[in-house]
Amino acid sequence: MKWISVRERPPEKGERVLVCIQTRFGTQIDIRRHLESGRFVHFSHDGTITHWMPLPEPPDAKDR
């Protein structure tokens, strides 16, 4: 999977995705939900979400 710029294309509304957040401390990766308002659930104001990608599928039950 490749990272997608939020400027290029936002995720579907309500979708949970991996996000890349640029902060004053460096790059962070987190899981966030893209809201109906077009914004992300974002608990910290110390950064900017620049990219996202879909969450991978969970492992098969036989692999757990």
Side-chain angles (χ1 to χ4, degrees), residues 25-54:
F25 303 109
T27 302
Q28 297 180 0
I29 306 299
D30 204 350
I31 297 172
R32 300 289 169 91
R33 182 175 305 277
H34 192 240
L35 301 174
E36 293 295 323
S37 66
R39 302 185 73 174
F40 287 94
V41 172
H42 196 38
F43 300 108
S44 169
H45 297 287
D46 182 38
T48 302
I49 296 174
T50 61
H51 291 77
W52 67 277
M53 73 168 59

Side-chain angles (χ1 to χ4, degrees), residues 56-64:
E57 292 295 322
D60 291 335
K62 65 180 179 180
D63 295 332
R64 293 183 195 169

